[in-house]
C-alpha cells in the first residue's frame, strides 16, 4: 500500500471507531451522528499516527525483509514535504470553503444568479489565478450534500491538531494507552449525546485552541530553536 492509502485507512478507521465504541443511548446521537463541522475531527486526528516512526515501525516494513523499517530520515523528509506544501493545500481549502459560503449566501430574488461569476473571482483571490473560460464550480461535487459546510474540513483539521497535542505530550506518544482511553471515553463514546465542545474540552483538559493547528501548518508561533551549544556548531 502507498503511504496515502495507509493514511486513508487510518482516517476511515477513525470513523469506524467512532461508531463501534459508541455508548450513546439513542441512535440519533451515536457514533458519527455529530455536527458536520466536527465529524471529520476524530478521523483526521488518526491520520497523525501514520506520520510517526514509532507507530509505523509496528507494521510498516519492506515486504521482502520485514526487519527493514522505514528509515527515520525518510519519515522526516515526508513530514518536511507536507509542511512545505501546507500553504498551497489550505489556500485551496479556504478557496473552496469561501465559494461554498458565497454561493449559499442570500441572493436578491430579482437579481440574476451566475454561479461562475460568483465563484471564479473567489478562487482567484484566495487560491491561484485561473483561466476565465474555466468553470471549476460546475464540477465541485462537495456542493451537493455539504452545502455551506465545506469549511468543516479545515475546521475539523484545527480541532484534530488540537486533540493530537494530548498524544504528543503523553509518555508513549501516539501509542499511549491512557490518552487512548481518554479519547475513547470523552470523544468516541458520547458521540452527540453531549455538546461536542464539552467533549473536546474534557478530552483536552483545557479550552480549545487553534494554536496547535497554526503551528502544525507552519504559521503559528514556533518553538524557539535551541541555541547552538558552542562555536563548533557554527556554519552547520
Ligand atoms: Zn472522513
Amino acid at each position: 500500500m502507498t503511504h496515502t492509502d495507509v493514511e486513508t485507512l487510518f482516517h476511515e478507521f477513525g470513523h469506524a471507531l467512532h461508531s463501534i465504541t459508541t455508548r450513546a443511548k439513542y441512535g440519533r446521537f451515536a457514533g458519527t451522528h455529530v455536527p458536520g463541522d466536527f465529524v471529520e475531527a476524530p478521523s483526521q486526528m488518526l491520520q497523525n499516527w501514520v506520520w510517526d516512526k514509532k507507530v509505523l515501525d509496528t507494521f510498516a516494513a519492506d515486504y521482502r525483509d520485514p526487519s527493514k523499517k522505514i528509515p527515520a530520515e525518510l519519515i522526516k523528509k515526508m513530514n518536511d514535504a507536507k509542511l512545505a506544501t501546507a500553504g498551497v493545500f489550505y489556500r485551496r481549502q479556504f478557496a473552496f470553503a469561501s465559494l461554498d459560503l458565497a454561493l449559499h449566501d442570500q441572493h436578491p430574488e430579482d437579481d440574476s444568479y451566475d454561479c461562475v461569476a460568483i465563484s471564479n473571482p473567489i478562487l482567484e483571490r484566495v487560491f491561484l489565478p485561473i483561466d476565465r473560460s474555466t468553470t471549476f464550480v460546475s464540477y465541485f461535487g462537495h456542493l451537493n450534500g455539504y452545502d455551506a459546510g465545506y469549511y468543516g474540513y479545515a475546521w475539523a483539521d484545527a480541532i484534530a491538531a488540537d486533540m493530537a497535542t494530548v498524544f504528543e505530550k503523553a509518555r508513549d506518544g501516539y501509542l499511549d494507552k491512557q490518552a487512548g482511553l481518554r479519547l475513547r471515553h470523552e470523544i468516541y463514546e458520547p458521540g452527540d449525546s453531549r455538546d461536542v465542545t464539552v467533549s473536546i474540552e474534557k478530552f483536552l483538559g483545557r479550552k480549545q485552541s487553534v494554536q496547535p493547528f497554526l503551528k502544525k501548518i507552519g504559521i503559528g508561533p514556533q518553538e524557539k530553536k535551541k541555541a547552538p551549544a558552542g562555536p563548533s556548531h557554527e556554519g552547520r
Side-chain angles (χ1 to χ4, degrees):
M1 292 176 87
T2 64
H3 184 260
T4 311
D5 286 342
V6 176
E7 188 175 30
T8 304
L9 191 69
F10 270 67
H11 175 103
E12 304 305 341
F13 186 60
H15 287 307
L17 280 178
H18 209 170
S19 291
I20 294 168
T21 60
T22 191
R23 292 263 170 186
K25 192 173 174 189
Y26 301 106
R28 157 63 186 84
F29 304 110
T32 53
H33 293 105
V34 291
D37 55 4
F38 174 72
V39 68
E40 294 297 330
S43 50
Q44 271 162 221
M45 188 186 60
L46 233 70
Q47 290 174 220
N48 289 304
W49 269 244
V50 301
W51 296 88
D52 183 82
K53 168 122 179 98
K54 215 166 138 187
V55 175
L56 287 169
D57 281 355
T58 63
F59 65 89
D62 189 323
Y63 72 97
R64 292 157 302 190
D65 177 5
S67 71
K68 284 187 189 158
K69 307 295 184 188
I70 305 177
E73 196 191 333
L74 187 64
I75 296 171
K76 164 95 175 51
K77 277 184 186 168
M78 285 159 65
N79 276 286
D80 287 349
K82 188 165 70 153
L83 182 62
T85 53
V88 176
F89 181 84
Y90 282 105
R91 292 296 294 214
R92 185 169 171 270
Q93 289 297 85
F94 292 151
F96 293 170
S98 305
L99 77 85
D100 177 34
L101 289 172
L103 288 170
H104 287 90
D105 208 355
Q106 284 187 347
H107 194 81
E109 236 174 78
D110 42 350
D111 249 18
S112 64
Y113 187 93
D114 183 339
C115 59
V116 177
I118 295 171
S119 58
N120 271 5
I122 294 174
L123 282 173
E124 202 144 55
R125 201 169 58 241
V126 186
F127 189 40
L128 291 170
I130 51 170
D131 185 328
R132 290 185 189 263
S133 67
T134 60
T135 58
F136 162 78
V137 71
S138 60
Y139 97 114
F140 185 30
H142 282 84
L143 280 179
N144 185 3
Y146 278 77
D147 302 75
Y150 192 86
Y151 77 93
Y153 276 98
W155 179 230
D157 272 347
I159 299 170
D162 202 10
M163 296 202 296
T165 60
V166 171
F167 286 94
E168 284 157 13
K169 286 181 190 145
R171 199 165 55 98
D172 285 329
Y174 288 113
L175 299 176
D176 194 89
K177 200 172 172 185
Q178 291 307 319
L181 277 174
R182 215 160 102 197
L183 175 69
R184 178 175 177 166
H185 295 324
E186 305 296 355
I187 302 291
Y188 292 139
E189 286 182 2
D192 203 22
S193 61
R194 72 177 172 201
D195 193 299
V196 292
T197 309
V198 173
S199 295
I200 295 166
E201 297 192 347
K202 273 189 182 284
F203 173 67
L204 293 172
R206 58 165 168 79
K207 289 257 168 244
Q208 264 185 277
S209 167
V210 79
Q211 290 307 322
F213 172 66
L214 297 179
K215 191 181 155 196
K216 191 182 162 195
I217 62 172
I219 54 173
Q222 302 294 304
E223 271 155 33
K224 276 191 190 132
K225 291 241 161 65
K226 256 179 144 180
S232 63
H233 285 250
E234 264 171 17
R236 274 193 187 173

